[in-house]
Amino acid sequence: MDTLQVILLAIIQGLTEFLPISSSAHLILPSQILGWEDQGLSFDVAVHLGSLLAVIIYFRKEIGVMISAWVNSIFKGQHNDDSKLAWWILLATIPAVVFGFAFKGIIETYLRGPGVIAISTVVFGLLLWVGDKMSRNELTEYQTGWRKALMIGFAQAIALIPGTSRSGITITAALMLGLTKEAAARFSFLMSIPVISGAALLMSKDIISGQEAVDYHAMGLGVVMSFIAAYTCIFLFLKLISRIGMTPFVLYRLTLGAVLCGFIFL
């Protein structure tokens, strides 16, 4: 890949990993418009690592407190809001892991097509609108509870379908379950840490066992650019979401879905 391609794809990944607009839908556009080939596993690992570093650094204080509280809950039997939130995030990760391993072959064989991505972008965009309108905006992430956390986790498993948007479907579920917009976004972003970590590890394993040539320059630049884009995205999204709501992202998804359908079906 040339430098422009690396920068553009890394920025797209960094932004769309956390905005509720589907990263797979956006990553298909450069190939459709510019004819770019698949960027390869090593670059995927790099941009996911950049996004992972961004969310960890942004929430570093919260993560530190949660880990400490979680360890105390195991070894000292001391439970507080932070330890409960840590357990809920781990619980919410289980459905994605189970369904990911169970349906990996089916998803890669039948659901990777551009048509599925275009339709999912529209359908789950409309569902985001419904979730926004249904939300009671009452609960913080510390009031989620294990049942709601598990339900959000099952929603995250649906994001295995390309075009769904992991952040989009988890925020949608959280809003439907009564979380405020900010709490829904924070819970979704914290949930991303184990999921992105696991995905990066699995892709790294495939790289090690495969024969793909590794472009270290592209990987390094990809990490930096995706980190900058993802960190900026998280900061601005959490600052603005209570004021702008989900409607702009719904409209954007509908427009994007229409554009994709135009490229694919016309």
Side-chain angles (χ1 to χ4, degrees), residues 39-47 207 212-215 219:
Q39 60 266 28
L41 274 177
S42 60
F43 185 75
D44 281 344
V45 171
V47 293
I207 292 172
E212 178 184 318
V214 177
D215 185 343
M219 287 186 67

Side-chain angles (χ1 to χ4, degrees), residues 9-218:
L9 291 177
I11 291 175
I12 290 174
Q13 169 61 34
L15 291 175
T16 58
E17 184 66 48
F18 298 107
L19 290 178
I21 54 177
S22 175
S23 58
S24 53
H26 284 79
L27 291 173
I28 197 177
L29 279 175
S31 63
Q32 291 287 335
I33 298 173
L34 303 173
W36 288 350
E37 296 182 359
D38 183 83
Q39 60 266 28
L41 274 177
S42 60
F43 185 75
D44 281 344
V45 171
V47 293
H48 277 83
L49 178 59
S51 299
L52 178 63
L53 290 173
V55 70
I56 289 174
I57 291 175
Y58 187 89
F59 290 104
R60 60 192 181 278
K61 294 181 181 178
E62 292 89 340
I63 293 170
V65 172
M66 286 167 55
I67 291 175
S68 177
W70 180 73
V71 171
N72 286 336
S73 74
I74 295 175
F75 295 103
K76 297 181 180 180
Q78 298 175 355
H79 299 279
N80 58 23
D81 288 344
D82 292 298
S83 67
K84 291 176 183 178
L85 181 57
W87 281 113
W88 295 338
I89 289 170
L90 291 175
L91 179 64
T93 304
I94 294 174
V97 174
V98 173
F99 282 91
F101 279 107
F103 298 103
K104 184 174 184 289
I106 294 175
I107 293 168
E108 291 182 348
T109 303
Y110 299 106
L111 299 180
R112 289 292 184 186
V116 172
I117 293 174
I119 293 170
S120 297
T121 300
V122 173
V123 170
F124 289 103
L126 291 172
L127 193 61
L128 176 63
W129 178 79
V130 172
D132 193 19
K133 298 305 178 183
M134 285 179 57
S135 177
R136 301 188 304 273
N137 289 305
E138 294 175 345
L139 307 176
T140 70
E141 63 269 34
Y142 293 98
Q143 298 171 299
T144 303
W146 71 267
R147 292 181 180 85
K148 289 184 176 66
L150 189 59
M151 293 173 71
I152 298 171
F154 277 107
Q156 182 170 244
I158 297 173
L160 293 167
I161 301 172
T164 302
S165 170
R166 191 210 61 82
S167 62
I169 194 65
T170 52
I171 289 174
T172 297
L175 289 173
M176 288 182 172
L177 292 169
L179 273 70
T180 66
K181 294 179 178 65
E182 298 93 331
R186 285 194 296 267
F187 194 83
S188 172
F189 294 165
L190 289 169
M191 282 175 64
S192 73
I193 295 172
V195 170
I196 297 175
S197 300
L201 285 173
L202 287 175
M203 286 188 287
S204 298
K205 179 183 175 183
D206 291 339
I207 292 172
I208 293 171
S209 61
Q211 301 297 321
E212 178 184 318
V214 177
D215 185 343
Y216 291 103
H217 173 265

